[in-house]
Amino acid sequence: MTQADPADPFGTAALRDGTLLAWRSSPTRLREDTATESDLVRAGYRDRVLTELAQNAADAATRAGITGAMRVWLGDDGLHVANTGSPLDGPGVQALTALRASAKTGGVGRFGVGFTAVLAVSDDIGIRSRTGSIRFSAERTRAVLREHDLTPPRSGVPVLRLAWPTAEPPVSGFDTEIVLRLRPDVDARALLDGFRAEAAELLLELPALGSITIGDDELTRTRTDLGGGVHEIVVGEHRWWEGEGPHARWLVPVTAAGEITPLGDDVLRAPTRSDEELSLPVLVVADVPMQPDRRRLLPGAPLDRIAEGYARFAAALPADQRIALVPVPGFARSEADGLLREAVLAELRTHPWLPAAAGGDDLVPERATALDGLTDELAEALADVVPGLVAPALCGPRYASLLAAVDVHRIGPARVAELLAGLDRDPQWWRRLYDALEPLVVDAVVAEELASIPVPLSDGRLVTGPRTTVLGADLGVDGPLVLPWVRLVHPDAAHPLLARLGAGTVTAVDLLSDPALFAAVEDVDPDDDEAAAELADTVLRLAGHVPVGSLPRDLGALLLPDVDGELVPADELLLPDAPLADVLVDESPFGTVDSKVIDRYGVDALRAVGVGWGFTVLRAELPTGPDHDLPDEGQWWETVDTDPDTLVAVRDLDLVDETRWARALTLLAADPDTADALADRDGYTAWWLRTYAVLDGQPLGRLRAPDDTTFEGLLDPCPHPDADRLRACLASPVVDSTALAALLLDRLADPDRDPAPAVVAAAHGALAAAYASGVLDVAALDLPDAVRSIAGTVVDAADALVLDRPWLAAVVPAERIVMGTTATAGALAELLDLPLASDTVSAEPTGPGRATEWSREPQAVLAAATTGVPLPRGPLTVHDRLVVSCSGAVTGEREVAWWVDRSGTTHCTPAGFAAAVASGGAGS
């Protein structure tokens, strides 16, 4: 074996001789080597100086079994790149000079041509190693070519074909040092800045390197095991989470807070940067066949295997971060990208990694389900209804496209409603479900999708869809109710969502006013105690929470047991010790309700359905006629001009014993409900009491309120202590009926009555006004033979006159005058069939007087000013003494203070001015 020359340990002399021999033997070979080297520099290895040197450093560290270190700096003699690891050896030198071959049998690269990248910045390259050093030089290569009579090609010379030994050792602390004497056109500082930008990624791509120092800046890589096959790699201020598969490593950037920031725009690393663009969310470092310049994949390279283990990496990440590893849907950036995206998606679709709702086992996406708008509460409710639910955080619009990319089945509210059909759950579970579903109902579309959701009813049934159901509004009833006439939602399941989906809302009054209930009440067989008790239980539990008197009287047909155990309609029963029993006739049809029913449901519930205590008030909206089974109701309707909006009437008034009306009225006045009915003068109750109720032998309608003196002396005051509350049930201060008119006429003609003249005038005025307004049925009036004069005397109607002109009062005796007011004299005369005084008495002044004008008479002006009336107009004659001659019903001469003759002239004495002015003169 030949002993190596210490001065040339790698036998570079023999290598040069062999190369020169080849060039001399074939000048074409020289041109080919020059062209090949130039092509590699300008194409495949452009801008890869640091990358190629870092790969060699990583190989050296791998072969030495250490974590390599690399240092780059600028010296006086050029750019220095040093590394630790296996030093330069003979095969390595041969590979460097062979241009097309590599001595590497493993590691990150398999082709020695990568070192050609240094020619982009230098024509003079030194490689210093602790096993020996060599140097490549374009200048020396040209000199050798000239020495051997070889003409250098115009394009240059192949720099890396001829190596010379040197004695320079590597810098202390490193095993190999490369010195690049930079060409004059290379900006050394810019070059170093570019290296700094690459260094961090190289430490990711080449795990054999632990640090890279560029100038004074040192970047180190730390790797921490996070468990589950995930490592955290930190390089400077950057951090990544790393996962490994059989054929690739994946690195995804994360913030200091541990939040993934997916890439989406990168290139394949094999292991260093290639030109194969990728759109994956992770940085991919793969063991995959590449073309010699490691920029492009070899045709047919098996990309699908790169995705093996990717889903396992995703599953090892925090649940709320995993979705970030799904490639964002979009166009592929390259053929390789399209193939790799599809491989990754296929891996993700078919392996468990997707976070499940409620913290369950990871899901396989193609067997998982995402529900739009899913919340934690809804996920819990649907856990055993919708299999494979994806975690709520991933069910929003933000992740819809990513879940679709991995074939997650997406459902909406309509599908949920389908899956719930026929589900057997307790009402509380349904309420929790409705509560969880409510946030999903944001518009009418979602509401329609949930239209068929099941609803549990109070009677235990489960029906489809809320639209046929009703919600009880503050029913106040404990426990479920059996309501065969309505679909009432179970109280434990009641929720506002059901109202939004179409359920109605009812109160206890609504439920108890339903015509379907009345039909059910009527259909109960009196001999079926069980059915009657069941219906009564439901009705009375509801009735205990409604105001007494607010329910239709139809409910009075509800069968309840009386003290003898017989089933009797509620409105035919009284409560024990009911005050009403003390005022009714002895033969009243009421029984007494069983005390056990009172103990169970309470007095208010029984009163609400019609069981009597006091008088019952009937309320009917928009009544149209006498069809409410009230005594004498038809007569009252004849007094009504227009139908009332609401009929409010006290029932059973006809059952009061006539001798007990005083107590009955006290009972009516004390109850607020009945007292309100008493206060409506036009209402049925006040009308009936005025007509039929009797106190001290007189109907209430013939009595007056004690403080109403309009008809004092004609009508007797009401003797009842509650007379003020009974005011609407007593006679009116105006004549509002033919009956009152007849009574007043009889009382006016009754000599035993002693009304004051003012009352007599008021009564006649009220009668005349009623007649004039058409209130009275004259044909129904039976006029008495006598009438009451203004003097208070009872006078034969044949002698009476109705005063219609005020000046006639001076000649007609007061005992013959009947009057209300002169304005209503005509109506009063017609009503009483009496003559007017002006038609039966005539008179003219007997002597002349002084003709004058009202405005010229001081006494007339003074009278007008003091009385506040306008000064009369028309002709005026003043007399010192005025005597008129009368004829007709009154004869003879009479001295008067003032008079108006047939021509309309007013005649007046000084004493008569006040009366004449007050009466308006001839105008009256």
Side-chain angles (χ1 to χ4, degrees), residues 28-49:
T28 301
R29 179 66 180 270
L30 173 59
R31 290 194 299 274
E32 289 176 353
D33 286 350
T34 301
T36 299
E37 191 174 84
S38 177
D39 289 343
L40 290 171
V41 172
R42 288 185 289 107
Y45 293 98
R46 65 190 183 280
D47 304 326
R48 293 179 66 91
V49 176

Side-chain angles (χ1 to χ4, degrees), residues 571-719:
D571 58 6
E572 296 179 15
L573 292 171
L574 295 178
L575 291 163
D577 301 322
L580 182 62
D582 293 336
V583 301
L584 299 182
V585 296
D586 294 337
E587 299 80 15
S588 81
F590 290 101
T592 302
V593 70
D594 188 344
S595 61
K596 294 179 182 178
V597 180
I598 302 173
D599 295 340
R600 181 171 182 180
Y601 300 106
V603 169
D604 289 343
L606 292 168
R607 291 187 63 185
V609 299
V611 176
W613 172 257
F615 286 98
T616 303
V617 176
L618 166 72
R619 286 180 172 82
E621 300 295 330
L622 302 175
T624 57
D627 54 0
H628 303 90
D629 198 23
L630 295 169
D632 308 300
E633 185 182 0
Q635 296 178 39
W636 172 73
W637 275 96
E638 292 176 1
T639 71
V640 177
D641 293 330
T642 58
D643 294 346
D645 293 335
T646 304
L647 171 63
V648 180
V650 177
R651 295 175 52 203
D652 303 322
L653 294 174
D654 59 325
L655 297 179
V656 175
D657 189 315
E658 287 191 1
T659 64
R660 301 173 186 174
W661 267 114
R663 278 182 288 170
L665 291 173
T666 299
L667 191 60
L668 287 167
D671 186 327
D673 284 343
T674 54
D676 286 345
L678 299 181
D680 181 7
R681 173 167 288 276
D682 296 327
Y684 165 82
T685 303
W687 169 84
W688 198 95
L689 291 174
R690 286 196 304 272
T691 307
Y692 296 105
V694 178
L695 274 180
D696 290 348
Q698 295 189 71
L700 283 185
R702 293 191 172 200
L703 301 175
R704 62 181 174 86
D707 61 350
D708 180 7
T709 59
T710 305
F711 301 129
E712 187 176 16
L714 297 176
L715 300 182
D716 297 329
C718 177

Side-chain angles (χ1 to χ4, degrees), residues 481 532-542 600-601:
L481 289 167
E534 181 177 300
L535 184 59
D537 175 74
T538 298
V539 171
L540 291 175
R541 287 168 65 193
L542 286 169
R600 181 171 182 180
Y601 300 106

Side-chain angles (χ1 to χ4, degrees), residues 200-201 203-207 221-223 230-235 239-244 248-254 260-264 266 269 271 280-286 310 313 317 325:
E201 291 193 4
L203 287 174
L204 292 178
E205 297 164 351
L206 305 171
R221 185 188 75 251
T222 60
R223 189 168 186 260
V230 177
H231 291 81
E232 182 175 76
I233 296 178
V234 179
V235 179
R239 99 184 36 236
W240 292 263
W241 284 342
E242 177 191 52
E244 293 184 272
R249 291 187 299 123
W250 311 283
L251 298 107
V252 62
V254 294
I260 291 176
T261 55
L263 292 175
D266 197 54
R269 320 294 174 115
L280 296 176
V282 297
L283 184 151
V284 182
V285 183
Y310 190 84
F313 174 41
L317 298 179
L325 264 64

Side-chain angles (χ1 to χ4, degrees), residues 272-640:
T272 55
R273 294 180 64 89
S274 71
D275 289 344
E276 298 289 0
E277 294 187 55
L278 300 181
S279 60
L280 296 176
V282 297
L283 184 151
V284 182
V285 183
D287 178 13
V288 62
M290 303 292 291
Q291 294 180 8
D293 60 6
R294 292 195 292 281
R295 288 187 177 273
R296 293 290 180 184
L297 290 162
L298 282 175
L303 291 181
D304 54 344
R305 66 180 188 177
I306 292 178
E308 293 181 23
Y310 190 84
R312 188 167 57 251
F313 174 41
L317 298 179
D320 60 344
Q321 302 269 19
R322 298 175 190 173
I323 195 68
L325 264 64
V326 177
V328 175
F331 292 108
R333 296 179 178 273
S334 64
E335 181 181 1
D337 186 37
L339 295 172
L340 190 51
R341 283 170 60 89
E342 186 52 41
V344 167
L345 290 173
E347 169 83 5
L348 290 174
R349 290 183 188 116
T350 56
H351 292 80
W353 63 272
L354 192 60
D361 295 337
D362 290 343
L363 304 172
V364 176
E366 64 181 10
R367 297 199 294 271
T369 300
L371 171 61
D372 294 334
L374 184 68
T375 62
D376 290 333
E377 294 76 14
L378 184 55
E380 181 180 357
L382 296 177
D384 57 349
V385 178
V386 182
L389 270 178
V390 176
L394 301 179
C395 288
R398 176 181 178 185
Y399 302 114
S401 61
L402 298 179
L403 294 180
V406 291
D407 289 351
V408 172
H409 179 53
R410 182 169 294 275
I411 64 173
R415 179 55 179 157
V416 171
E418 290 179 12
L419 294 172
L420 292 168
L423 199 62
D424 183 16
R425 293 291 187 275
D426 59 65
Q428 292 88 348
W429 183 90
W430 286 106
R431 180 178 175 83
R432 291 194 297 272
L433 174 66
Y434 301 149
D435 195 53
L437 282 172
E438 187 173 28
L440 271 63
V441 186
V442 296
D443 53 34
V445 174
V446 179
E448 186 62 30
E449 290 184 23
L450 287 174
S452 62
I453 192 171
V455 181
L457 300 184
S458 184
D459 59 11
R461 289 178 293 162
L462 185 71
V463 298
T464 300
R467 290 176 181 169
T468 62
T469 68
V470 292
L471 295 161
D474 300 325
L475 299 181
V477 178
D478 295 330
L481 289 167
V482 178
L483 304 173
W485 70 91
V486 68
R487 289 184 166 190
L488 178 69
V489 177
H490 195 290
D492 293 339
H495 191 278
L497 173 64
L498 298 179
R500 295 178 61 187
L501 298 180
T505 301
V506 293
T507 63
V509 172
D510 295 328
L511 291 173
L512 296 175
S513 302
D514 193 325
L517 170 60
F518 307 150
V521 169
E522 292 179 358
D523 289 343
V524 172
D525 185 350
D527 296 327
D528 189 345
D529 293 350
E530 183 176 349
E534 181 177 300
L535 184 59
D537 175 74
T538 298
V539 171
L540 291 175
R541 287 168 65 193
L542 286 169
H545 303 276
V546 304
V548 175
S550 62
L551 299 179
R553 66 185 306 269
D554 304 68
L555 210 53
L558 181 71
L559 295 178
L560 299 175
D562 66 5
V563 292
D564 298 322
E566 297 293 328
L567 290 177
V568 178
D571 58 6
E572 296 179 15
L573 292 171
L574 295 178
L575 291 163
D577 301 322
L580 182 62
D582 293 336
V583 301
L584 299 182
V585 296
D586 294 337
E587 299 80 15
S588 81
F590 290 101
T592 302
V593 70
D594 188 344
S595 61
K596 294 179 182 178
V597 180
I598 302 173
D599 295 340
R600 181 171 182 180
Y601 300 106
V603 169
D604 289 343
L606 292 168
R607 291 187 63 185
V609 299
V611 176
W613 172 257
F615 286 98
T616 303
V617 176
L618 166 72
R619 286 180 172 82
E621 300 295 330
L622 302 175
T624 57
D627 54 0
H628 303 90
D629 198 23
L630 295 169
D632 308 300
E633 185 182 0
Q635 296 178 39
W636 172 73
W637 275 96
E638 292 176 1
T639 71
V640 177

